Amino acid sequence: MDSSELRTRFLDYFKEKGHTIVPSSSLLPDDPSVLLTTAGMQQFKPYYTGAADPFRSPHPTLEGKPLGSKNAASIQKSFRTSDIDEVGDERHLTFFEMMGNFSFGGYFKEEAILYAKEFLDSLGVSIEYVTVFGGDKDVPRDEESVKIWEKYGFSAAKGNLKFMGREDNFWGPTGAEGPCGPTTEIYAGGIEVWNIVFNEYYQKADKTLEKLPTPGVDTGMGLERLARVLQKKATVFETDLFLRAMAELPEDLDERIRRIFGDHTRAIAFLLADGVLPSNKEAGYVLRRLMRRLLVYEHLDARIATEKLLERVVETYGHPYSNLRKEFILQGFRAEKERFQQSIARGLKELQRLPALNARNAFSLYESYGIPYEIIKELGGQRAQGLAREGFDAEFAKHQEISRAGQERKFGGHGLILNTGELKAANEEEAKIVTRLHTATHLMQAALRRVLGEGVRQAGSDITAERTRFDFTFDRKLAPEEIRQVEELVNKAIQDDLLVTYEELPYEEAVKTGALHFAKEKYPQRVKVYTMDSKYPEPFSKELCGGPHVQRTGELGHFKVLKEEAVSAGIRRIRATVK
Ligand code: SER
């Protein structure tokens, strides 16, 4: 059975059982607590906690339509950075497709286990054994799952049901907090093929568990692994998912390197297609490492043509992933190749010259020449024995802190004629611009609250002559349509040329007017309440603020959002400008 048939069979089976089929979400998640999407359940997180309603809330990957069912199934593009160092062995992958079925109060253990068993039976996959959570001091043993498995002939007595602890049979949460619970896992063909999670708890940031009001089901089955079992191959790299691309490599190339190419070319294609660009930060840094690792191998062996593999990846995956566009991906790869080309030879030479490698000089090889850790570790051989990922990462983090401190020094108040903490200007010209941006920021907060609801509160702001940067409480990415609405509202308020006035009041009274303010901030006894417009029954904007502001909003010019992104869990950041 080839993998496209497997995809179809999986989705058809769960559709038949009343699941809404949901497209994969992007590898770049809405959930700011993770760098990349690591599991199918991520796009469903709010349903488990009750924050979203499957019948009412617009679902992001269904073009804003609600799920319309308490049960859903998907094949999710997933990426696990934690496995990068392992790639090259028989089974680890960075990018993979995860087939999963999910329920948010629709069904629980009985059906979840039945469906898994029945679906595998329908494919002719025989289950070798299953594992069940054996219990610990916080969570009891999962007796319910034991009873269900016993009905299908699996028991501890027979040896085909094993109990495991927290490490193996307890999932989650992804990020700092979230839904989690005991799991039962299915093994076939010598590997774990299906992980069935029973989300019974919510793990809070302080690591304590709380029972969820409605328990949920979250399952995940790696498509590559199941394809391996069905196609009776020794490793995932011999399945139809990798064959075409890896056939482009010289046959006598070391098997480990062949697998690294098999894995990384898929990952590169999918990351680029989802809008990641190579950089020194976050997801971009992950992509850069993957690309540069392959570029070094390519540099060392002229027979390797990574671009050919990328082309085959697109051919293998173009259906069902229509956002994989060949030219776009090749261009993205070539651009990084050009950037790296000039330093690669010098970097490798320097690497060979160093008598012993440690975190410090390895990081400096990365910083000066862009040679990734993986390559240093590998090509360093004996000399890199004392080098470990943790040490390298620590150097990396230290460097980022230093450059942040450098930024702060630059803006530390020297040579600034205006520095309120929020507004910074180096000369008269800039002072005029930041004042306009400051007024625009008030309008933007008012507009955000109109579009996204009263839950939006200011969490910070920083205004320079280039832009205003505004942080606010909100728990997901904004839709392009919402950003457009915010821009429109602000530009309308600018066109209306609203009058900007303020009134000085004692703090207590000011707060009573309903003006926006920071709950935690220490304000002086007398404060200013800035109001924009008195024409409406309610002014467009009313905030406690020290100023300065323009006199009429008509002075601002055209308002535009430049960027919207996550800062941390529940906090978004917008950069915007007026021209
Ligand atoms: N979230 C679980 C996993 O990723 C099951 O889908 O394994």
Side-chain angles (χ1 to χ4, degrees):
M1 185 183 303
D2 70 13
S3 40
S4 28
E5 187 182 342
L6 176 54
R7 288 192 193 94
T8 313
R9 294 271 288 259
F10 178 81
L11 296 176
D12 285 353
Y13 175 85
F14 282 98
K15 193 167 173 194
E16 174 87 356
K17 300 285 177 198
H19 292 64
T20 298
I21 305 303
V22 177
S24 173
S25 61
S26 164
L27 280 170
L28 277 174
D30 281 337
D31 177 355
S33 65
V34 284
L35 197 58
L36 291 163
T37 302
T38 59
M41 57 86 70
Q42 258 160 261
Q43 63 167 317
F44 303 113
K45 248 167 116 171
Y47 302 104
Y48 291 110
T49 57
D53 177 336
F55 295 98
R56 295 227 189 110
S57 313
H59 189 76
T61 62
L62 288 176
E63 288 161 352
K65 287 200 291 283
L67 288 177
S69 165
K70 288 182 180 171
N71 311 322
S74 70
I75 301 178
Q76 174 67 46
K77 298 180 270 190
S78 307
F79 195 103
R80 296 206 173 158
T81 46
S82 55
D83 290 339
I84 288 188
D85 289 334
E86 255 66 57
V87 174
D89 68 5
E90 294 193 345
R91 59 191 186 89
H92 280 96
L93 295 171
T94 55
F95 170 83
F96 64 103
E97 289 173 274
M98 189 185 262
M99 302 186 280
N101 55 294
F102 310 88
S103 189
F104 333 102
Y107 57 84
F108 203 41
K109 298 187 183 177
E110 192 72 51
E111 291 88 341
I113 293 176
L114 166 72
Y115 293 158
K117 169 84 173 66
E118 198 174 87
F119 179 64
L120 290 176
D121 282 349
S122 78
L123 299 178
V125 172
S126 79
I127 300 177
E128 284 167 11
Y129 67 94
V130 299
T131 61
V132 172
F133 182 61
D136 64 13
K137 63 178 192 351
D138 302 316
V139 182
R141 179 152 129 174
D142 186 0
E143 299 297 351
E144 204 182 335
S145 293
V146 174
K147 289 213 181 70
I148 301 165
W149 279 120
E150 278 173 351
K151 286 197 281 187
Y152 302 119
F154 295 85
S155 69
K158 285 193 192 156
N160 59 6
L161 183 154
K162 303 180 189 179
F163 290 107
M164 306 291 260
R166 230 353 130 116
E167 273 289 285
D168 299 286
N169 277 52
F170 199 90
W171 160 267
T174 55
E177 56 181 310
C180 62
T183 71
T184 179
E185 296 183 353
I186 299 176
Y187 283 73
I191 45 173
E192 177 211 330
V193 291
W194 210 330
N195 184 17
I196 301 168
V197 183
F198 301 120
N199 278 323
E200 295 179 65
Y201 302 95
Y202 189 87
Q203 181 176 309
K204 295 194 292 189
D206 65 7
K207 298 259 188 295
T208 54
L209 298 178
E210 234 169 39
K211 267 269 188 210
L212 279 171
T214 325
V217 172
D218 151 29
T219 89
M221 173 159 57
L223 178 87
E224 293 78 0
R225 288 185 179 194
L226 198 63
R228 195 215 97 175
V229 174
L230 285 167
Q231 296 170 18
K232 301 198 168 37
K233 302 292 185 196
T235 71
V236 291
F237 300 101
E238 288 146 71
T239 62
D240 64 334
L241 293 162
F242 292 90
L243 275 185
R244 280 164 84 179
M246 287 174 68
E248 296 286 353
L249 291 166
E251 267 180 36
D252 60 355
L253 190 67
D254 175 62
E255 189 54 31
R256 212 179 61 82
I257 299 179
R258 289 174 57 85
R259 292 174 187 157
I260 291 173
F261 268 93
D263 173 81
H264 287 16
T265 46
R266 290 198 322 167
I268 290 167
F270 276 91
L271 287 171
L272 282 169
D274 276 352
V276 181
L277 289 172
S279 73
N280 291 332
K281 265 197 2 221
E282 298 169 359
Y285 177 52
V286 174
L287 174 58
R288 169 159 286 171
R289 279 157 59 191
L290 302 174
M291 287 178 158
R292 293 196 168 190
R293 194 177 193 181
L294 300 192
L295 285 165
V296 169
Y297 292 130
E298 199 180 77
H299 177 84
L300 296 173
D301 186 336
R303 298 172 304 163
I304 301 176
T306 310
E307 287 190 20
K308 284 234 167 63
L309 276 84
L310 288 170
E311 287 180 26
R312 300 294 94 75
V313 168
V314 174
E315 288 155 17
T316 308
Y317 286 96
H319 176 82
Y321 297 102
S322 58
N323 77 336
L324 288 183
R325 285 179 296 117
K326 196 179 279 184
E327 265 323 300
F328 179 78
I329 288 164
L330 291 179
Q331 269 171 24
F333 183 74
R334 273 179 212 141
E336 182 64 10
K337 185 169 174 168
E338 267 159 39
R339 272 189 294 265
F340 192 32
Q341 205 93 55
Q342 294 161 17
S343 55
I344 186 167
R346 277 186 293 140
L348 291 179
K349 207 158 144 200
E350 183 64 19
L351 167 61
Q352 294 312 341
R353 206 186 54 79
L354 290 165
L357 291 149
N358 54 40
R360 279 285 263 306
N361 60 22
F363 179 72
S364 125
L365 277 175
Y366 169 73
E367 209 192 10
S368 320
Y369 305 102
I371 308 287
Y373 167 84
E374 295 82 357
I375 288 292
I376 299 170
K377 183 76 187 160
E378 181 172 333
L379 301 187
Q382 286 288 326
R383 291 172 301 133
Q385 258 181 357
L387 175 65
R389 166 76 71 190
E390 294 74 40
F392 182 86
D393 287 348
E395 282 296 320
F396 197 95
K398 205 154 79 189
H399 169 81
Q400 282 183 328
E401 272 159 31
I402 292 170
S403 55
R404 208 173 311 128
Q407 281 286 335
E408 273 156 21
R409 260 198 300 281
K410 205 161 104 193
F411 280 114
H414 298 291
L416 295 180
I417 64 155
L418 176 70
N419 184 5
T420 66
E422 185 185 9
L423 277 63
K424 298 174 186 76
N427 51 44
E428 281 302 327
E429 194 55 36
E430 286 193 5
K432 278 189 200 142
I433 305 173
V434 296
T435 303
R436 283 163 48 216
L437 278 167
H438 187 199
T439 306
T441 307
H442 279 223
L443 295 177
M444 172 164 72
Q445 175 165 214
L448 282 166
R449 289 168 62 86
R450 280 171 171 74
V451 174
L452 305 174
E454 310 269 292
V456 169
R457 306 290 291 193
Q458 175 164 353
S461 96
D462 177 89
I463 304 175
T464 67
E466 277 82 49
R467 45 91 188 128
T468 170
R469 196 187 75 196
F470 183 70
D471 295 351
F472 59 99
T473 52
F474 196 58
D475 60 5
R476 63 165 169 82
K477 192 169 179 57
L478 270 60
E481 175 58 22
E482 290 167 334
I483 294 181
R484 204 184 52 78
Q485 283 173 10
V486 169
E487 286 175 335
E488 249 177 41
L489 276 170
V490 173
N491 283 317
K492 170 81 171 44
I494 293 173
Q495 257 173 27
D496 289 349
D497 199 17
L498 311 179
L499 193 62
V500 181
T501 52
Y502 70 83
E503 193 182 357
E504 264 196 65
L505 295 169
Y507 173 74
E508 308 296 328
E509 264 178 58
V511 170
K512 276 194 213 129
T513 67
L516 292 177
H517 60 283
F518 280 108
K520 289 200 197 93
E521 180 136 329
K522 268 212 135 344
Y523 284 99
Q525 280 189 336
R526 282 186 77 78
V527 291
K528 291 178 187 167
V529 175
Y530 269 88
T531 304
M532 302 192 181
D533 180 40
S534 47
K535 276 185 297 204
Y536 299 123
E538 272 295 304
F540 188 83
S541 152
K542 196 180 199 182
E543 272 187 55
L544 258 68
C545 176
H549 284 283
V550 300
Q551 286 182 347
R552 304 199 70 105
T553 60
E555 296 167 40
L556 298 185
H558 187 75
F559 170 83
K560 190 165 172 38
V561 170
L562 302 171
K563 192 169 179 194
E564 189 269 341
E565 63 186 338
V567 184
S568 61
I571 309 278
R572 311 292 307 177
R573 168 170 292 177
I574 285 187
R575 288 185 169 77
T577 184
V578 285
K579 281 257 158 59

